[in-house]
Each structure stands twice: as structure tokens, then as C-alpha cells.
């Protein structure tokens, strides 16, 4: 409980960068490179709306691949995978 008596917020996170790292641990994970590697067309770069659309399309492609290749079937499994990969990248960076 918080000091105001309210329970903490539970906001699940699905991180496309974490999914990209889980899909290809050794590659480049920038939005442009990932979009290119999975066949998502890139629009104008470094603009909010085009980058958001590219990110959403990348998420759909990666979710489908994880379902097919690893049997990931729910939002919760995909979110856990994305967070595990993100934590792994942070731990790896700390060792360097």
C-alpha cells in the first residue's frame, strides 16, 4: 500500500526493444535496422507518428514469430519475455 492507502498501480509493460533483443540477441536493435530485417516498411524517420506506426508493425511481426517459433500465446508471456531480455541486456552492460 502507498502512503495514501491506495494499492500500487500495476502497469504491465511490453517492450519492443526487449523483444528485438530476445529475437536476435547479437544484432543491432535500432528501430530502422529491426524494421528492415523483418520486412516492415520504414516511413519518415525520427518523427513521432511514423516511428510509432513502425514500432506497432514491428511488434505485430515479432509477436507472430514468437507465437510460431516459441509457442508464446498470451500478452503476459510476451511481456515477460520482453522484460527478461531487457533485464539481460542491462546485466550484460553492467559486466562490460
Amino acid at each position: 500500500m502507498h502512503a495514501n492507502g491506495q494499492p500500487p498501480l500495476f502497469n504491465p509493460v511490453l517492450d519492443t526493444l526487449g523483444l528485438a533483443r530476445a529475437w536476435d540477441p547479437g544484432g543491432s536493435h535500432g528501430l530502422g535496422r529491426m524494421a528492415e530485417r523483418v520486412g516492415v516498411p520504414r516511413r519518415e524517420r525520427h518523427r513521432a507518428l511514423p516511428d510509432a506506426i513502425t514500432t506497432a508493425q514491428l511488434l505485430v511481426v515479432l509477436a507472430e514469430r514468437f507465437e510460431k517459433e516459441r509457442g508464446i500465446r498470451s500478452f503476459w508471456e510476451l511481456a515477460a519475455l520482453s522484460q527478461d531480455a531487457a533485464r539481460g541486456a542491462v546485466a550484460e552492460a553492467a559486466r562490460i
Side-chain angles (χ1 to χ4, degrees), residues 4 13-14 17 26 28 30 34 36 38-41 43 48 54 57 62 64 66 69-70 76-77 81 88 90 96:
N4 65 2
V13 174
L14 200 157
L17 177 58
S28 170
M34 284 303 301
E36 179 182 301
V38 301
V40 170
R43 293 167 176 74
T54 300
Q57 291 174 324
L62 290 176
E64 289 171 349
F66 281 118
E69 296 170 8
R70 299 191 193 180
W76 301 108
E77 291 174 320
L81 176 67
V90 169
I96 295 176

Side-chain angles (χ1 to χ4, degrees), residues 49-71:
L49 183 58
D51 282 356
I53 291 169
T54 300
T55 300
Q57 291 174 324
L58 177 62
L59 171 61
V60 169
V61 169
L62 290 176
E64 289 171 349
R65 290 186 182 194
F66 281 118
E67 180 180 19
K68 181 179 177 184
E69 296 170 8
R70 299 191 193 180

Side-chain angles (χ1 to χ4, degrees), residues 15 18 21-22 25 80-96:
D15 181 6
R21 288 176 172 156
L81 176 67
S82 77
Q83 293 302 298
D84 289 347
R87 280 190 290 275
V90 169
E92 181 65 30
R95 284 183 277 213
I96 295 176

